[in-house]
Amino acid sequence: MHIYRIYVIIGKSASGKDTVAKRLLEDRSLGLAPVVPYTTRPIRAGEKDGTDYFFTDDEGFSRMKSEGRVIECRTYHTVYGDWNYFTADDGQIDLAKSDSLTVGTLESYVSIRDYFGKDRVNPIYIEVDDGERLTRALDREKRQKQPRYEEMCRRFLADQKDFSEERLKEAGIDRRFPNKDINETVAEIAEVIRYGHKG
């Protein structure tokens, strides 16, 4: 009997998490259901509400929290104010029907794992050289109508702490997927998911 799982793609900023997730979701043979997270931060150029995130405000976040529908939440104290990112129990995840895929942080992975159970939640940690990540992040920020360079730098520095070797070990992250070639990375992760289908 197949046990349906939640795969959580994690990694530092600009490591290619969203691109990897998009490619995996497009592979119909994997049968993955997308889990779109929520955020109170402003929408970026090129993003779509309901696809990249569900964009809400502080009032919407507080309402869902009071209803007990917030599985995990992270608050970032940015130079533009507090931004909340969270995963909601809103019907997107149905472990009786299919495997699910979401993008998150190390902290959100641990919370989702504790909520659904260790046997149902698998981490996929993507790793990229810091110099390459910084270049990617800068290129992405330059394309914004209002580049937020200070916030980009804050996130880059925060990642060094959030994804320290000590924290990775505490979370039980024992496998890494280097993202030097996107095609190879996606193929390797897809194989891991297919193997999980045998479980």
Side-chain angles (χ1 to χ4, degrees), residues 36-83:
V36 180
Y38 290 72
T39 185
T40 60
R41 76 153 166 76
I43 191 168
R44 290 177 182 151
E47 289 182 328
K48 292 182 180 178
D49 185 34
T51 301
D52 299 285
Y53 290 95
F54 286 114
F55 292 91
T56 186
D57 53 19
D58 291 332
E59 186 181 333
F61 167 64
S62 297
R63 184 173 61 252
M64 293 184 80
K65 197 171 183 180
S66 67
E67 293 170 351
R69 297 169 62 198
V70 175
I71 295 172
E72 61 82 24
C73 168
R74 295 141 281 139
T75 301
Y76 296 101
H77 308 292
T78 79
V79 294
Y80 301 97
D82 287 354
W83 291 348

Side-chain angles (χ1 to χ4, degrees), residues 2-5 30-33 91-100 120:
H2 176 58
I3 297 174
Y4 290 115
R5 295 179 169 89
L30 297 176
L32 295 166
Q92 292 187 79
I93 299 172
D94 188 347
L95 293 178
K97 291 184 177 179
S98 67
D99 289 314
S100 297
R120 289 299 187 95

Side-chain angles (χ1 to χ4, degrees), residues 124-190:
I124 296 173
Y125 178 50
I126 297 176
E127 204 168 47
V128 173
D129 171 75
D130 285 341
E132 176 62 25
R133 283 198 311 109
L134 193 55
T135 299
R136 292 180 187 180
L138 185 58
D139 288 343
R140 181 174 66 186
E141 210 57 44
K142 283 178 179 178
R143 294 195 296 270
Q144 303 300 314
K145 288 183 180 178
Q146 293 181 314
R148 294 184 167 98
Y149 297 118
E150 285 182 70
E151 173 58 16
M152 182 200 77
C153 292
R154 184 204 66 78
R155 287 184 66 191
F156 186 85
L157 294 173
D159 279 341
Q160 301 306 103
K161 179 180 177 182
D162 294 344
F163 287 91
S164 67
E165 289 300 320
E166 184 180 357
R167 289 193 176 187
L168 288 169
K169 187 176 180 179
E170 285 175 1
I173 306 298
D174 54 10
R175 182 167 184 179
R176 299 157 194 242
F177 296 88
N179 190 14
K180 293 181 181 178
D181 180 293
I182 189 69
N183 294 322
E184 290 180 8
T185 303
V186 170
E188 186 179 0
I189 295 170

Side-chain angles (χ1 to χ4, degrees), residues 2 5 7 9 20 23-25 27 29-32 99 101 122-124 175 177 182-199:
H2 176 58
R5 295 179 169 89
Y7 294 92
I9 296 182
V20 169
R23 295 275 295 273
L24 291 170
L25 289 168
D27 186 343
S29 71
L30 297 176
L32 295 166
D99 289 314
L101 180 76
N122 290 39
I124 296 173
R175 182 167 184 179
F177 296 88
I182 189 69
N183 294 322
E184 290 180 8
T185 303
V186 170
E188 186 179 0
I189 295 170
E191 195 58 34
V192 168
I193 293 172
R194 286 193 185 93
Y195 177 77
H197 284 188
K198 300 172 185 176

